[in-house]
Amino acid sequence: MKLFKPTLVALALVAVVGCNEEVVAEAKAPVLDTEIQKQSYGLGASIGMYMQRNLVEHDKLGLSLDKSLIINGFVDSIEGKSLIEQEEIQTLLQNLDASMKEKQQAALVEAAEASLAEGVDFLAENAKKEGVMVTESGIQYEVITEGEGAKPSAEDTVTVHYKGTFLNGETFDSSYDRNEPAVFPLNRVIQGWTEGVQLMPIGSKYKFTIPSDLAYGPNGNPPRIPGNAVLQFEIELLDIQVAEAPAEMDTQG
């Protein structure tokens, strides 16, 4: 469901009324008999759900807002008696947004530093495991099933099933979950995939551990993948569509 997205000013004037237990206790149960009543309630609920998610993010970053004052600001504004002028509200929200971005950036840097240290240690230990092979570039891989078909080149388009996980085992992407194989040119993905999948004959299933510099590097792939993250993929090569050779130019006159 696509929820209503409030403007910057509106975000400061709305909140989930359920956050205030006293208000909930005094409020009457809403009547939702007509379409317009349901639409009215739905609009408020949509704004409330959006705001609730934002309040959670603020709490995570140590910028917890006073929910009772948010509710007061909402009610006062609806009644046309806001205690703060609109121009000042705009400035306050811009300052809040700047603080959020500063803290988010600091959190990203901290996560990237932690990922780098974790990745170095993991790669060193994982390379010692039986069955793990390491390419010259540093990709680590294990053969789960060895196929007997052709191997792709970097220019080919491949059809694969795959599951990507962080080092803690959490899945961040999976074609299996979507019940549909992925199809893409092999030279249009991260370097670790481009190199690694070329090792696989059709019908193979390999497990790859890809260093961060061959994945998404220090910047990561926000918001899901932090910087310096070592990633693991189980990849099953289903098919290869060989790239067509470029037509030769006729040089004869």
Side-chain angles (χ1 to χ4, degrees):
M1 178 178 68
K2 186 176 181 180
L3 300 178
F4 172 77
K5 186 175 181 180
T7 64
L8 186 62
V9 174
L11 281 177
L13 302 176
V14 295
V16 184
V17 175
C19 295
N20 189 316
E21 295 181 358
E22 292 181 1
V23 173
V24 172
E26 297 174 0
K28 296 180 179 179
V31 177
L32 303 177
D33 294 334
T34 68
E35 183 70 9
I36 193 66
Q37 287 172 337
K38 293 177 181 178
Q39 290 171 346
S40 300
Y41 183 87
L43 177 60
S46 178
I47 294 172
M49 284 184 273
Y50 183 89
M51 190 61 184
Q52 192 272 341
R53 290 196 299 271
N54 278 269
L55 290 175
V56 169
E57 292 303 312
H58 280 78
D59 289 344
K60 289 179 180 178
L61 295 172
L63 286 172
S64 300
L65 301 178
D66 189 322
K67 296 174 184 176
S68 63
L69 287 177
I70 295 175
I71 294 172
N72 288 342
F74 171 64
V75 174
D76 287 350
S77 179
I78 287 290
E79 295 178 352
K81 56 179 185 181
S82 174
L83 300 179
I84 305 176
E85 295 296 328
Q86 183 172 342
E87 292 76 9
E88 185 180 355
I89 290 173
Q90 190 74 22
T91 300
L92 289 167
L93 292 183
Q94 289 172 348
N95 292 340
L96 176 60
D97 185 57
S99 297
M100 278 287 291
K101 289 180 178 178
E102 182 180 345
K103 288 185 174 293
Q104 287 171 338
Q105 182 60 35
L108 288 174
V109 171
E110 183 179 351
E113 291 175 350
S115 290
L116 181 61
E118 179 188 25
V120 169
D121 292 342
F122 185 91
L123 288 167
E125 291 301 316
N126 194 63
K128 301 174 185 178
K129 292 182 179 179
E130 183 178 356
V132 173
M133 291 169 277
V134 184
T135 69
E136 185 176 348
S137 66
I139 295 173
Q140 300 179 5
Y141 68 97
E142 304 167 63
V143 177
I144 299 174
T145 303
E146 185 68 38
E148 298 180 353
K151 295 180 180 180
S153 69
E155 292 75 27
D156 294 340
T157 295
V158 296
T159 302
V160 300
H161 257 315
Y162 70 93
K163 179 176 73 171
T165 58
F166 297 115
L167 297 184
N168 63 5
E170 178 188 353
T171 299
F172 61 83
D173 192 14
S174 173
S175 65
Y176 296 105
D177 290 346
R178 295 189 293 272
N179 294 316
E180 183 177 3
V183 181
F184 49 80
L186 196 50
N187 58 5
R188 301 289 181 87
V189 288
I190 59 174
Q191 185 178 343
W193 268 66
T194 302
E195 178 184 340
V197 176
Q198 290 184 75
L199 302 172
M200 303 176 64
I202 291 178
S204 297
K205 185 174 184 179
Y206 285 14
K207 180 178 180 179
F208 292 96
T209 301
I210 300 179
S212 63
D213 61 323
L214 300 178
Y216 293 100
N219 294 326
N221 188 23
R224 195 71 184 96
I225 299 175
N228 296 322
V230 173
L231 304 177
Q232 294 190 304
F233 293 92
E234 289 186 6
I235 303 175
E236 185 178 359
L237 181 58
L238 304 176
D239 195 15
I240 301 170
Q241 181 180 335
V242 178
E244 295 184 4
E248 295 185 3
M249 295 180 62
D250 186 359
T251 59
Q252 297 181 357

